[in-house]
Amino acid sequence: WLSDLLEIAISWLTDTADAALSAWNVNETLHSLVIDGIFTGIGSVLSFLPVVVTLFFFLSLLEDSGYMARAAFLMDKPLRKLGLNGRAFIPMMMGFGCTVPAVMSARSMNNQRDRRFTILLTPFMSCGAKVPIYALFTRAFFGGHQVLVMSAFYLTGVAVSIVVGLILKHTAFHGDAAPFIMELPAYRLPAPRNVARQLWDKASDFLKRAFTVIFLATMVVWFLQYFTFTLSPAPDMAHSMLGVIAGAIAPVFAPAGFGTVEASTAVLTGVMAKESVVSTLSVLAGVDPDSAQMVTALHAVFPTVLQAVSFLTFVLLYMPCVAAYAAMRREMESGRLATLAVAGQTVLAWAAATLVFQVGRLLVLG
């Protein structure tokens, strides 16, 4: 209901700005930039702010109660089967909030081997930036089962990290993890001030990215969609710069079931910030992401539920945003290893999405 209230406010503000620009006879290109670019793009991300803040709120409660340290202690034994110790649990848990601080928190690991190993597995956790994508698609394709489907994707990410961890343990990261010693803090009721401070830090970080990286991505998408390579207004999507670029890479995703210009564009902008996937799809469709028209637009891009599941599988597993990649380069102290990690993760995502689509299609045809 909080999201609904914010959506109403954003929709009212967009309509008001649209009417004002029309009344002032503003240039058509500038009008499109403001409404189709800024308001549609940024508004699509802000409308999911309550969902993301709620996730951060409960993570803050866990951290401030003293539970996280105990969870790390309890997870030491199962994590040792992956070649890690209990300290790895905290970065992985934080990965459900944001990959960047999760990667940075791996500094607590005792040696370089454990630190790098943990960083490689952390991006498989569904960060808060993926919540808007899951929320949009589950509402459009899985009405009445949103919680079940979203939970399934979260658990899939964890399962994939376990499989990858077992493979890495027996290949690139031989040996045992360092001994785990941690002083357990006393249980306590979360302090409202501490929770509020953590919540504000995480929410403000989300908003800063919404008005910086995502704003830039939205502007780029609008510009590429609106103009041709000769910088004249594009008569349609296919003749725009965006249509040509996305059309060139779309065949790569055809085996996975979403080889369209719209889906390919969303994948590209998602590299800048995962929230941009939602804003890109809404900008390309030219509709509000929370409207009935957005559901119709999604069904046009992904005609079947299987294609939507395949796309979500790719989004779940492919490389994190550029900010997370930068953090990985810094914390792993190896640009080459970080690049190999994100490249391998993207290839794995493509293979998993292709497997989901092809097997699903065989089952349906069978």
Side-chain angles (χ1 to χ4, degrees):
W1 63 269
L2 288 173
S3 292
D4 291 340
L5 288 177
L6 191 56
E7 289 159 15
I8 292 171
I10 293 172
S11 179
W12 174 84
L13 186 60
T14 303
D15 292 341
T16 302
D18 192 10
L21 292 173
S22 298
W24 297 336
N25 294 318
V26 173
N27 178 273
E28 183 180 345
T29 301
L30 182 59
H31 190 153
S32 175
L33 170 63
V34 174
I35 301 303
D36 299 330
I38 299 174
F39 278 90
T40 301
I42 300 299
S44 64
V45 176
L46 292 183
S47 63
F48 292 100
L49 181 61
V51 180
V52 177
V53 169
T54 301
L55 172 67
F56 287 151
F57 172 72
F58 285 107
L59 282 176
S60 299
L61 288 181
L62 287 175
E63 290 177 23
D64 203 52
S65 66
Y67 175 76
M68 293 291 263
R70 283 170 169 75
F73 176 76
L74 292 173
M75 291 298 295
D76 182 60
K77 187 174 181 179
L79 282 173
R80 285 195 175 277
K81 295 180 180 179
L82 291 180
L84 292 167
N85 61 36
R87 288 183 184 274
F89 174 77
I90 294 178
M92 290 182 180
M93 188 68 179
M94 290 180 66
F96 289 112
C98 180
T99 305
V100 175
V103 168
M104 294 175 66
S105 69
R107 296 174 185 175
S108 63
M109 306 302 290
N110 294 332
N111 55 55
Q112 187 183 71
R113 177 226 179 243
D114 292 356
R115 182 166 62 253
R116 288 181 171 181
F117 198 173
T118 302
I119 290 173
L120 288 175
L121 299 183
T122 298
F124 290 110
M125 308 301 144
S126 291
C127 66
K130 295 177 184 177
V131 174
I133 308 172
Y134 297 159
L136 176 64
F137 274 77
T138 53
R139 189 184 69 224
F141 293 96
F142 304 98
H145 304 284
Q146 290 96 319
V147 174
L148 180 62
V149 175
M150 286 182 71
S151 299
F153 277 102
Y154 272 84
L155 292 174
T156 299
V158 175
V160 170
S161 72
I162 292 174
V163 173
V164 172
L166 289 172
I167 294 173
L168 291 176
K169 177 187 176 183
H170 293 95
T171 54
F173 293 92
H174 290 291
D176 296 322
F180 178 51
I181 301 174
M182 175 180 283
E183 182 179 353
L184 297 180
Y187 271 129
R188 64 178 185 181
L189 287 174
R193 178 174 299 195
N194 292 340
V195 173
R197 184 176 63 252
Q198 292 185 53
L199 193 59
W200 170 253
D201 289 342
K202 293 169 182 175
S204 61
D205 178 66
F206 179 87
L207 289 173
K208 287 175 184 175
R209 286 195 295 158
F211 285 102
T212 52
V213 177
I214 300 170
F215 177 80
L216 176 61
T218 300
M219 294 298 95
V220 170
V221 169
W222 173 86
F223 180 81
L224 295 176
Q225 180 193 15
Y226 196 85
F227 294 102
T228 65
F229 281 103
T230 59
L231 297 183
S232 58
D236 53 52
M237 176 69 179
H239 291 85
S240 68
M241 288 186 281
L242 187 62
V244 174
I245 296 171
I249 67 168
V252 175
F253 300 110
F258 52 92
T260 63
V261 171
E262 294 83 357
S264 302
T265 306
V267 167
L268 287 176
T269 58
V271 173
M272 298 184 69
K274 286 296 177 285
E275 303 95 325
S276 296
V277 171
V278 174
S279 61
T280 298
L281 290 173
S282 63
V283 168
L284 293 177
V287 298
D288 186 276
D290 303 297
S291 63
Q293 291 87 346
M294 187 65 202
V295 174
T296 303
L298 277 182
H299 281 276
V301 179
F302 308 97
T304 67
V305 173
L306 180 59
Q307 289 171 301
V309 171
S310 174
F311 181 77
L312 286 177
T313 302
F314 185 84
V315 169
L316 165 68
L317 299 175
Y318 88 115
M319 69 169 288
C321 63
V322 290
Y325 169 67
M328 291 173 67
R329 283 179 61 98
R330 183 171 60 251
E331 299 301 325
M332 297 176 83
E333 300 175 349
S334 172
R336 177 177 171 274
L337 185 57
T339 301
L340 285 174
V342 297
Q345 193 173 344
T346 303
V347 171
L348 173 63
W350 181 86
T354 300
L355 182 65
V356 167
F357 179 70
Q358 296 298 337
V359 171
R361 190 171 64 168
L362 287 175
L363 292 176
V364 171
L365 293 176

